[in-house]
Amino acid sequence: MIELSDLVAARPGAHAQDPRKLIEFPCPSCERAEAAYWPEADTLSCPSRCDPGRIAALLRRGEPPPDLAFEKRVRAEVDRLRVRDEARRRWDEAEAAEFSSDWFGTTGDEFDPESAEQVPCVLEYAPGEFAFAPGVTFVFGPRSSAKTWLMYVAALQEARRGNRALLIDYEMSFEEAMRRMVTLGASREELGRVVYVQPAGPFGDAGRARLLARFGEEAPSVVVLDSVGMSMGSAGLDSDKGKDTEEWAYGLPLWLKKQWPDTVILLIDHVRKGEGASGTDPVGSQRKGSFADTLCLVVPMTPISRQRRGQGRLVLRKDRKGWGDEGRALLDFEFGGGGPFELSPPDPHTVATAGDPGEAAEALHRVARYVGEHEGAKVEEVRDALSIQPNEFTAMKAELIRQEVIEHRPRVGLFKGPRWGEYVSRED
C-alpha cells in the first residue's frame, strides 16, 4: 500500500517547508480549507473539522459516498461565522462614525437665537402654571408619598392634550399601571396614547431601536421612569457608585434626552435612609445632580391612603434653567379617601419639610425657638446644636424665612422675624 505521506506529497497544491515535520495541502473533503499532515505522528487535520478518516480515504481514492449532510452543516457554520464577523465589522464602523459626529463639533453661528426657549410645560397645577420643563428631572421622596401617582397625573394630562406619554416601569405590572391611570380618570381613548414598557433588563441597542420605531416622528411629550434604583439594579449597577451612575445615565435618561430634546423625562427615585442620611436629596445625589436639569422633592404633609385623604407638596431642590429658587414650593396636592387627585398652588400657611410628616412641624418649631433664644447665632451653630443635617437645615431655614418667622442677615446671623411670636405661640 502506498504510504499516506506519499499520497499527501503528490496532492496538487501540497507544500511544506520541512516535509519531515508538516505538509499542508488542499483538503479533498471540504475542498475549501487547507488540511495538514504530520508525518512523524501520521495524523491528519482540517480547520473545517473534516473527518481525518474521510480525508485519508479520499487520498487513497477508495473514498466512501460523500457525507453531504455533514458537509452542509460545515458550510452553514462557516457561512454563519463569516456573516457574524461581517456584521461586527459594520457595527464597529457605524459606532465609530456616530461617535466621530459627536466629537466633530459645531460652531455657534448654527444656533438660531430666535428659536423658542424651553419653558415648564408639563403637570399643570393652576391655569397656565406648569411644574416641569423639558429635560431630565428627578422626582424623589420617602415611601408612600404618592410620587408615582403624581407622575401618572402628569402622563394623563399629556394624553388628554392629545400628546403621547411613555411609562417605563420596573416596579409594577401593566395591569397595575393601567389600573392607576383608570383610577385617575383615564378613558380608553386616553389610555391609547400611553405606551407602557416593562424592561426585563438594561436597554440594549435592539431595545432602543424598537422604542424609537414605536413612536416614529411623534415623540412623547413626557416619559415617566419608575424607578431609578430598580432600573440601575436590573443592569447590575449600584446607585451609590458614581461610575455606575454615569454609565446608567448615558445609557438611558441622557440617551432619551438626546433622541427627544423637547420631552420632559421624569425619573422617580427615593431618599437615602439610615444614620447620617439626608432626606432632601436622592440616593447617589452627587452624580445624579450633576446631569439632572431639575431635582424635585415630594414631601408628605399628612398620610395618604384609600381610607384617608392626605396632602403632599412638591419642592424644588435644583433648577439648572433658573425657573425657580432652591427650596421653593412648586405645588400642593391632595389624594386618597376615594376622592380625585387634586393639584393647587402651594399654601403659604402650610409647613412642609422632608422626613416624617409628624416630625416636620416639631423640627421647624425647634429651629424657630432656638433662633429666638439665641439671636445672632450663626447657621453652623444652630445646625450643630440641633443635630440637623446641612441640606435639611437649609430647607427648614428657607421655609421659616419665607413665612417671616426668622431673618438671615448675611455675615451677622439668624434673628427673629416679624411673625416669630405668632408662630411659636401657635405651635405651643
Side-chain angles (χ1 to χ4, degrees), residues 276-331:
S278 170
T280 58
D281 288 306
V283 175
S285 59
Q286 183 175 3
R287 291 298 173 88
K288 291 174 181 177
S290 64
F291 72 83
D293 295 290
T294 310
L295 296 175
C296 289
L297 172 65
V298 178
V299 182
M301 294 189 290
T302 57
I304 299 172
S305 68
R306 287 176 180 263
Q307 292 74 33
R308 179 176 177 177
R309 191 164 183 80
Q311 295 82 33
R313 173 167 290 178
L314 188 68
V315 179
L316 187 64
R317 294 288 297 131
K318 170 192 173 179
D319 185 0
R320 177 177 289 164
K321 299 176 182 178
W323 293 108
D325 298 327
E326 179 180 343
R328 170 196 167 196
L330 290 176
L331 60 89

CSV table of all heavy atoms in Angstrom, one decimal, residues 276-331:
chain,number,residue,atom,x,y,z
A,276,GLY,N,-27.2,59.4,59.4
A,276,GLY,CA,-26.4,60.3,58.6
A,276,GLY,C,-27.0,60.6,57.3
A,276,GLY,O,-26.4,61.4,56.5
A,277,ALA,N,-28.2,60.1,56.9
A,277,ALA,CA,-28.7,60.3,55.6
A,277,ALA,C,-29.5,61.6,55.6
A,277,ALA,O,-29.9,62.1,56.6
A,277,ALA,CB,-29.7,59.1,55.3
A,278,SER,N,-29.5,62.2,54.4
A,278,SER,CA,-30.3,63.4,54.2
A,278,SER,C,-31.6,63.1,53.5
A,278,SER,O,-31.7,62.4,52.5
A,278,SER,CB,-29.5,64.4,53.3
A,278,SER,OG,-30.3,65.5,52.9
A,279,GLY,N,-32.7,63.7,54.1
A,279,GLY,CA,-34.0,63.5,53.5
A,279,GLY,C,-34.3,64.4,52.4
A,279,GLY,O,-35.5,64.5,52.0
A,280,THR,N,-33.4,65.2,51.9
A,280,THR,CA,-33.7,66.2,50.9
A,280,THR,C,-32.9,66.0,49.6
A,280,THR,O,-32.9,66.8,48.7
A,280,THR,CB,-33.3,67.6,51.4
A,280,THR,OG1,-31.9,67.7,51.8
A,280,THR,CG2,-34.2,68.0,52.6
A,281,ASP,N,-32.2,64.9,49.4
A,281,ASP,CA,-31.5,64.6,48.2
A,281,ASP,C,-31.7,63.1,47.9
A,281,ASP,O,-31.9,62.3,48.8
A,281,ASP,CB,-30.0,64.8,48.4
A,281,ASP,CG,-29.7,66.3,48.4
A,281,ASP,OD1,-30.1,67.0,47.5
A,281,ASP,OD2,-29.1,66.8,49.4
A,282,PRO,N,-31.7,62.7,46.6
A,282,PRO,CA,-31.9,61.3,46.2
A,282,PRO,C,-30.7,60.5,46.5
A,282,PRO,O,-29.6,61.0,46.7
A,282,PRO,CB,-32.2,61.4,44.7
A,282,PRO,CG,-31.4,62.7,44.2
A,282,PRO,CD,-31.6,63.6,45.4
A,283,VAL,N,-30.9,59.2,46.5
A,283,VAL,CA,-29.7,58.3,46.7
A,283,VAL,C,-28.7,58.5,45.6
A,283,VAL,O,-29.1,58.6,44.4
A,283,VAL,CB,-30.2,56.8,46.7
A,283,VAL,CG1,-29.0,55.9,46.7
A,283,VAL,CG2,-31.2,56.5,47.8
A,284,GLY,N,-27.4,58.6,46.0
A,284,GLY,CA,-26.4,58.9,45.0
A,284,GLY,C,-26.5,60.3,44.4
A,284,GLY,O,-26.2,60.5,43.2
A,285,SER,N,-27.0,61.3,45.2
A,285,SER,CA,-27.3,62.6,44.6
A,285,SER,C,-26.2,63.3,44.0
A,285,SER,O,-26.4,64.2,43.1
A,285,SER,CB,-28.0,63.4,45.7
A,285,SER,OG,-27.1,63.6,46.8
A,286,GLN,N,-25.0,63.1,44.4
A,286,GLN,CA,-23.9,63.9,43.9
A,286,GLN,C,-23.8,63.8,42.3
A,286,GLN,O,-23.7,64.8,41.6
A,286,GLN,CB,-22.6,63.5,44.5
A,286,GLN,CG,-21.4,64.4,44.1
A,286,GLN,CD,-20.1,64.1,44.8
A,286,GLN,OE1,-20.1,63.2,45.7
A,286,GLN,NE2,-19.1,64.8,44.5
A,287,ARG,N,-23.7,62.5,41.9
A,287,ARG,CA,-23.6,62.3,40.4
A,287,ARG,C,-25.0,62.6,39.7
A,287,ARG,O,-25.0,63.1,38.6
A,287,ARG,CB,-23.1,60.9,40.1
A,287,ARG,CG,-21.7,60.7,40.5
A,287,ARG,CD,-20.7,61.6,39.7
A,287,ARG,NE,-19.4,61.5,40.2
A,287,ARG,CZ,-18.5,60.6,39.8
A,287,ARG,NH1,-18.8,59.7,38.9
A,287,ARG,NH2,-17.3,60.6,40.3
A,288,LYS,N,-26.1,62.2,40.3
A,288,LYS,CA,-27.4,62.4,39.7
A,288,LYS,C,-27.6,63.9,39.6
A,288,LYS,O,-28.1,64.4,38.5
A,288,LYS,CB,-28.5,61.8,40.6
A,288,LYS,CG,-28.4,60.3,40.6
A,288,LYS,CD,-29.4,59.7,41.5
A,288,LYS,CE,-29.4,58.2,41.5
A,288,LYS,NZ,-30.3,57.6,42.5
A,289,GLY,N,-27.3,64.7,40.6
A,289,GLY,CA,-27.5,66.1,40.5
A,289,GLY,C,-26.6,66.8,39.4
A,289,GLY,O,-27.0,67.8,38.9
A,290,SER,N,-25.5,66.1,39.0
A,290,SER,CA,-24.6,66.8,38.0
A,290,SER,C,-25.2,66.7,36.6
A,290,SER,O,-24.9,67.6,35.8
A,290,SER,CB,-23.2,66.1,38.1
A,290,SER,OG,-23.3,64.7,37.7
A,291,PHE,N,-26.0,65.7,36.3
A,291,PHE,CA,-26.5,65.6,35.0
A,291,PHE,C,-28.0,65.9,34.9
A,291,PHE,O,-28.6,66.1,33.8
A,291,PHE,CB,-26.3,64.2,34.3
A,291,PHE,CG,-27.1,63.1,34.9
A,291,PHE,CD1,-28.4,62.9,34.4
A,291,PHE,CD2,-26.5,62.2,35.8
A,291,PHE,CE1,-29.1,61.8,34.9
A,291,PHE,CE2,-27.3,61.2,36.3
A,291,PHE,CZ,-28.6,60.9,35.9
A,292,ALA,N,-28.7,66.0,36.1
A,292,ALA,CA,-30.1,66.4,36.1
A,292,ALA,C,-30.3,67.8,35.8
A,292,ALA,O,-29.5,68.7,36.2
A,292,ALA,CB,-30.7,66.0,37.4
A,293,ASP,N,-31.4,68.1,35.1
A,293,ASP,CA,-31.8,69.5,34.8
A,293,ASP,C,-32.5,70.1,36.1
A,293,ASP,O,-32.4,71.3,36.4
A,293,ASP,CB,-32.6,69.6,33.6
A,293,ASP,CG,-31.9,69.3,32.3
A,293,ASP,OD1,-31.0,70.0,31.9
A,293,ASP,OD2,-32.1,68.2,31.7
A,294,THR,N,-33.3,69.2,36.7
A,294,THR,CA,-34.1,69.6,37.8
A,294,THR,C,-34.1,68.5,38.9
A,294,THR,O,-34.2,67.3,38.5
A,294,THR,CB,-35.5,69.9,37.4
A,294,THR,OG1,-35.5,70.8,36.3
A,294,THR,CG2,-36.3,70.6,38.5
A,295,LEU,N,-34.1,68.9,40.1
A,295,LEU,CA,-34.3,67.9,41.2
A,295,LEU,C,-35.6,68.4,42.0
A,295,LEU,O,-35.6,69.6,42.4
A,295,LEU,CB,-33.1,67.9,42.2
A,295,LEU,CG,-31.8,67.4,41.6
A,295,LEU,CD1,-30.7,67.6,42.7
A,295,LEU,CD2,-31.9,65.9,41.2
A,296,CYS,N,-36.5,67.5,42.2
A,296,CYS,CA,-37.8,67.9,42.9
A,296,CYS,C,-38.0,66.9,44.0
A,296,CYS,O,-38.0,65.7,43.8
A,296,CYS,CB,-39.0,67.9,42.0
A,296,CYS,SG,-38.9,69.3,40.8
A,297,LEU,N,-38.3,67.4,45.2
A,297,LEU,CA,-38.6,66.6,46.4
A,297,LEU,C,-40.1,66.6,46.7
A,297,LEU,O,-40.7,67.6,46.7
A,297,LEU,CB,-37.9,67.2,47.6
A,297,LEU,CG,-38.2,66.6,49.0
A,297,LEU,CD1,-37.7,65.2,49.1
A,297,LEU,CD2,-37.5,67.4,50.1
A,298,VAL,N,-40.6,65.4,46.8
A,298,VAL,CA,-42.0,65.2,47.2
A,298,VAL,C,-42.1,65.0,48.7
A,298,VAL,O,-41.5,64.1,49.3
A,298,VAL,CB,-42.7,64.0,46.5
A,298,VAL,CG1,-44.1,63.8,47.0
A,298,VAL,CG2,-42.6,64.1,45.0
A,299,VAL,N,-42.8,65.9,49.4
A,299,VAL,CA,-42.9,65.9,50.8
A,299,VAL,C,-44.3,65.6,51.3
A,299,VAL,O,-45.3,66.3,50.9
A,299,VAL,CB,-42.5,67.3,51.4
A,299,VAL,CG1,-42.6,67.3,52.9
A,299,VAL,CG2,-41.2,67.8,50.9
A,300,PRO,N,-44.5,64.5,52.0
A,300,PRO,CA,-45.8,64.1,52.5
A,300,PRO,C,-46.1,65.0,53.7
A,300,PRO,O,-45.3,65.1,54.6
A,300,PRO,CB,-45.7,62.7,52.9
A,300,PRO,CG,-44.3,62.5,53.2
A,300,PRO,CD,-43.5,63.4,52.3
A,301,MET,N,-47.3,65.7,53.7
A,301,MET,CA,-47.6,66.5,54.9
A,301,MET,C,-48.6,65.8,55.8
A,301,MET,O,-48.6,66.0,57.0
A,301,MET,CB,-48.2,67.8,54.4
A,301,MET,CG,-47.1,68.7,53.6
A,301,MET,SD,-47.7,70.3,53.2
A,301,MET,CE,-48.9,70.0,52.0
A,302,THR,N,-49.6,65.0,55.2
A,302,THR,CA,-50.4,64.2,56.0
A,302,THR,C,-50.5,62.9,55.3
A,302,THR,O,-50.4,62.8,54.0
A,302,THR,CB,-51.8,64.8,56.2
A,302,THR,OG1,-52.4,65.0,54.9
A,302,THR,CG2,-51.8,66.1,57.0
A,303,PRO,N,-50.7,61.7,56.0
A,303,PRO,CA,-50.7,60.4,55.3
A,303,PRO,C,-51.8,60.3,54.2
A,303,PRO,O,-52.9,60.9,54.4
A,303,PRO,CB,-51.0,59.4,56.5
A,303,PRO,CG,-50.5,60.2,57.7
A,303,PRO,CD,-50.8,61.6,57.4
A,304,ILE,N,-51.5,59.5,53.2
A,304,ILE,CA,-52.4,59.3,52.1
A,304,ILE,C,-52.7,57.8,52.0
A,304,ILE,O,-51.8,57.0,52.0
A,304,ILE,CB,-51.8,59.8,50.8
A,304,ILE,CG1,-51.6,61.3,50.8
A,304,ILE,CG2,-52.7,59.5,49.6
A,304,ILE,CD1,-50.8,61.9,49.6
A,305,SER,N,-54.0,57.5,51.9
A,305,SER,CA,-54.4,56.1,51.8
A,305,SER,C,-55.7,55.9,51.1
A,305,SER,O,-56.4,57.0,50.8
A,305,SER,CB,-54.4,55.4,53.2
A,305,SER,OG,-55.5,55.9,54.0
A,306,ARG,N,-56.2,54.7,50.9
A,306,ARG,CA,-57.5,54.5,50.4
A,306,ARG,C,-58.6,55.0,51.3
A,306,ARG,O,-59.6,55.5,50.9
A,306,ARG,CB,-57.8,53.0,50.1
A,306,ARG,CG,-57.0,52.4,48.9
A,306,ARG,CD,-57.3,50.9,48.9
A,306,ARG,NE,-56.6,50.3,47.8
A,306,ARG,CZ,-57.1,50.0,46.6
A,306,ARG,NH1,-58.4,50.3,46.4
A,306,ARG,NH2,-56.4,49.4,45.7
A,307,GLN,N,-58.3,54.9,52.6
A,307,GLN,CA,-59.3,55.3,53.6
A,307,GLN,C,-59.3,56.8,54.0
A,307,GLN,O,-60.2,57.4,54.4
A,307,GLN,CB,-59.2,54.5,54.9
A,307,GLN,CG,-59.6,53.0,54.7
A,307,GLN,CD,-58.5,52.2,53.9
A,307,GLN,OE1,-57.3,52.5,54.0
A,307,GLN,NE2,-58.9,51.3,53.2
A,308,ARG,N,-58.1,57.4,53.8
A,308,ARG,CA,-57.8,58.7,54.3
A,308,ARG,C,-57.3,59.7,53.2
A,308,ARG,O,-56.3,59.3,52.5
A,308,ARG,CB,-56.9,58.7,55.5
A,308,ARG,CG,-56.6,60.1,56.1
A,308,ARG,CD,-55.7,59.9,57.3
A,308,ARG,NE,-55.3,61.2,57.9
A,308,ARG,CZ,-54.6,61.4,58.9
A,308,ARG,NH1,-54.2,60.3,59.6
A,308,ARG,NH2,-54.3,62.6,59.4
A,309,ARG,N,-57.9,60.8,53.1
A,309,ARG,CA,-57.4,61.8,52.2
A,309,ARG,C,-56.2,62.6,52.8
A,309,ARG,O,-56.4,63.1,53.9
A,309,ARG,CB,-58.5,62.7,51.7
A,309,ARG,CG,-58.1,63.6,50.6
A,309,ARG,CD,-59.4,64.3,50.0
A,309,ARG,NE,-59.1,65.1,48.8
A,309,ARG,CZ,-58.9,64.6,47.6
A,309,ARG,NH1,-58.9,63.3,47.4
A,309,ARG,NH2,-58.6,65.4,46.6
A,310,GLY,N,-55.1,62.6,52.1
A,310,GLY,CA,-53.9,63.3,52.6
A,310,GLY,C,-53.4,64.3,51.7
A,310,GLY,O,-53.9,64.5,50.6
A,311,GLN,N,-52.3,65.0,52.1
A,311,GLN,CA,-51.7,66.1,51.4
A,311,GLN,C,-50.2,65.9,51.2
A,311,GLN,O,-49.6,65.2,52.0
A,311,GLN,CB,-52.0,67.5,52.1
A,311,GLN,CG,-53.4,67.9,52.1
A,311,GLN,CD,-54.2,67.3,53.3
A,311,GLN,OE1,-53.6,67.0,54.3
A,311,GLN,NE2,-55.5,67.0,53.1
A,312,GLY,N,-49.7,66.5,50.2
A,312,GLY,CA,-48.3,66.5,49.9
A,312,GLY,C,-47.9,67.7,49.2
A,312,GLY,O,-48.7,68.6,48.8
A,313,ARG,N,-46.6,67.9,49.1
A,313,ARG,CA,-46.0,69.1,48.4
A,313,ARG,C,-44.8,68.8,47.6
A,313,ARG,O,-44.1,67.9,47.9
A,313,ARG,CB,-45.6,70.2,49.5
A,313,ARG,CG,-44.9,71.4,48.9
A,313,ARG,CD,-44.8,72.5,50.0
A,313,ARG,NE,-46.1,73.0,50.2
A,313,ARG,CZ,-46.4,74.0,51.1
A,313,ARG,NH1,-45.4,74.5,51.9
A,313,ARG,NH2,-47.6,74.5,51.3
A,314,LEU,N,-44.7,69.4,46.4
A,314,LEU,CA,-43.5,69.3,45.5
A,314,LEU,C,-42.6,70.5,45.7
A,314,LEU,O,-43.1,71.6,45.5
A,314,LEU,CB,-44.0,69.2,44.1
A,314,LEU,CG,-42.9,68.8,43.1
A,314,LEU,CD1,-42.4,67.4,43.3
A,314,LEU,CD2,-43.4,69.0,41.6
A,315,VAL,N,-41.4,70.2,46.2
A,315,VAL,CA,-40.4,71.3,46.5
A,315,VAL,C,-39.3,71.2,45.5
A,315,VAL,O,-38.7,70.2,45.3
A,315,VAL,CB,-39.9,71.2,47.9
A,315,VAL,CG1,-38.9,72.2,48.3
A,315,VAL,CG2,-41.1,71.2,48.9
A,316,LEU,N,-38.9,72.4,45.0
A,316,LEU,CA,-37.7,72.5,44.1
A,316,LEU,C,-36.4,72.4,44.8
A,316,LEU,O,-36.2,73.2,45.7
A,316,LEU,CB,-37.8,73.8,43.3
A,316,LEU,CG,-36.8,73.9,42.1
A,316,LEU,CD1,-37.1,72.9,41.0
A,316,LEU,CD2,-37.0,75.3,41.5
A,317,ARG,N,-35.5,71.5,44.4
A,317,ARG,CA,-34.2,71.4,45.1
A,317,ARG,C,-33.1,71.9,44.1
A,317,ARG,O,-32.1,72.2,44.6
A,317,ARG,CB,-34.0,69.9,45.4
A,317,ARG,CG,-34.9,69.4,46.5
A,317,ARG,CD,-34.6,70.0,47.9
A,317,ARG,NE,-33.2,69.6,48.3
A,317,ARG,CZ,-32.3,70.4,48.8
A,317,ARG,NH1,-32.6,71.7,48.9
A,317,ARG,NH2,-31.1,70.0,49.1
A,318,LYS,N,-33.4,71.8,42.8
A,318,LYS,CA,-32.4,72.3,41.9
A,318,LYS,C,-33.1,72.6,40.6
A,318,LYS,O,-34.0,71.9,40.1
A,318,LYS,CB,-31.3,71.3,41.6
A,318,LYS,CG,-30.4,71.7,40.4
A,318,LYS,CD,-29.5,70.6,40.0
A,318,LYS,CE,-28.7,70.9,38.7
A,318,LYS,NZ,-27.8,69.8,38.3
A,319,ASP,N,-32.8,73.7,39.9
A,319,ASP,CA,-33.3,74.0,38.6
A,319,ASP,C,-32.2,74.7,37.8
A,319,ASP,O,-31.9,75.9,37.9
A,319,ASP,CB,-34.5,75.0,38.7
A,319,ASP,CG,-35.2,75.3,37.4
A,319,ASP,OD1,-34.7,74.7,36.4
A,319,ASP,OD2,-36.2,76.0,37.3
A,320,ARG,N,-31.6,73.9,36.9
A,320,ARG,CA,-30.5,74.4,36.1
A,320,ARG,C,-30.9,75.5,35.2
A,320,ARG,O,-30.1,76.4,34.9
A,320,ARG,CB,-29.9,73.2,35.3
A,320,ARG,CG,-28.8,73.6,34.3
A,320,ARG,CD,-28.3,72.4,33.6
A,320,ARG,NE,-27.6,71.5,34.5
A,320,ARG,CZ,-27.3,70.2,34.3
A,320,ARG,NH1,-27.7,69.7,33.2
A,320,ARG,NH2,-26.6,69.5,35.1
A,321,LYS,N,-32.2,75.6,34.8
A,321,LYS,CA,-32.6,76.6,33.9
A,321,LYS,C,-33.1,77.8,34.6
A,321,LYS,O,-33.5,78.8,33.9
A,321,LYS,CB,-33.7,76.0,33.0
A,321,LYS,CG,-33.2,74.9,32.1
A,321,LYS,CD,-34.3,74.2,31.3
A,321,LYS,CE,-33.7,73.0,30.5
A,321,LYS,NZ,-34.7,72.4,29.7
A,322,GLY,N,-33.1,77.8,35.9
A,322,GLY,CA,-33.4,79.0,36.7
A,322,GLY,C,-34.8,79.5,36.7
A,322,GLY,O,-35.1,80.6,37.0
A,323,TRP,N,-35.8,78.6,36.5
A,323,TRP,CA,-37.2,79.0,36.6
A,323,TRP,C,-37.7,79.1,38.1
A,323,TRP,O,-38.7,79.7,38.3
A,323,TRP,CB,-38.1,78.0,35.9
A,323,TRP,CG,-37.9,77.9,34.4
A,323,TRP,CD1,-37.2,77.0,33.7
A,323,TRP,CD2,-38.2,78.9,33.5
A,323,TRP,NE1,-37.2,77.3,32.4
A,323,TRP,CE2,-37.8,78.5,32.2
A,323,TRP,CE3,-38.9,80.2,33.6
A,323,TRP,CZ2,-38.0,79.3,31.1
A,323,TRP,CZ3,-39.1,80.9,32.5
A,323,TRP,CH2,-38.7,80.5,31.2
A,324,GLY,N,-36.9,78.6,39.0
A,324,GLY,CA,-37.3,78.7,40.4
A,324,GLY,C,-36.1,78.6,41.3
A,324,GLY,O,-35.0,78.2,40.9
A,325,ASP,N,-36.2,79.1,42.6
A,325,ASP,CA,-35.1,79.1,43.5
A,325,ASP,C,-35.2,77.8,44.3
A,325,ASP,O,-36.2,77.2,44.6
A,325,ASP,CB,-35.3,80.2,44.5
A,325,ASP,CG,-35.1,81.6,43.8
A,325,ASP,OD1,-34.4,81.6,42.8
A,325,ASP,OD2,-35.8,82.5,44.2
A,326,GLU,N,-34.0,77.3,44.8
A,326,GLU,CA,-33.9,76.2,45.6
A,326,GLU,C,-34.8,76.4,46.9
A,326,GLU,O,-34.7,77.4,47.5
A,326,GLU,CB,-32.5,75.9,46.0
A,326,GLU,CG,-32.3,74.6,46.9
A,326,GLU,CD,-30.9,74.3,47.3
A,326,GLU,OE1,-30.0,74.9,46.6
A,326,GLU,OE2,-30.7,73.6,48.3
A,327,GLY,N,-35.5,75.3,47.3
A,327,GLY,CA,-36.4,75.4,48.4
A,327,GLY,C,-37.8,75.9,48.2
A,327,GLY,O,-38.6,75.9,49.0
A,328,ARG,N,-38.0,76.4,46.9
A,328,ARG,CA,-39.3,76.9,46.6
A,328,ARG,C,-40.4,75.8,46.5
A,328,ARG,O,-40.1,74.8,45.8
A,328,ARG,CB,-39.3,77.7,45.3
A,328,ARG,CG,-40.6,78.1,44.7
A,328,ARG,CD,-40.5,78.5,43.3
A,328,ARG,NE,-41.8,78.6,42.6
A,328,ARG,CZ,-42.0,78.7,41.3
A,328,ARG,NH1,-41.0,78.6,40.5
A,328,ARG,NH2,-43.2,78.8,40.8
A,329,ALA,N,-41.5,76.0,47.0
A,329,ALA,CA,-42.6,75.0,46.9
A,329,ALA,C,-43.3,75.3,45.5
A,329,ALA,O,-43.7,76.4,45.2
A,329,ALA,CB,-43.6,75.2,48.0
A,330,LEU,N,-43.3,74.2,44.7
A,330,LEU,CA,-43.9,74.3,43.4
A,330,LEU,C,-45.4,74.2,43.4
A,330,LEU,O,-46.2,74.9,42.8
A,330,LEU,CB,-43.3,73.3,42.5
A,330,LEU,CG,-41.8,73.5,42.1
A,330,LEU,CD1,-41.4,72.3,41.2
A,330,LEU,CD2,-41.7,74.8,41.3
A,331,LEU,N,-45.9,73.2,44.1
A,331,LEU,CA,-47.3,72.9,44.1
A,331,LEU,C,-47.7,72.0,45.3
A,331,LEU,O,-46.8,71.4,45.9
A,331,LEU,CB,-47.8,72.2,42.8
A,331,LEU,CG,-47.1,70.9,42.5
A,331,LEU,CD1,-47.9,69.7,43.1
A,331,LEU,CD2,-47.0,70.7,41.0
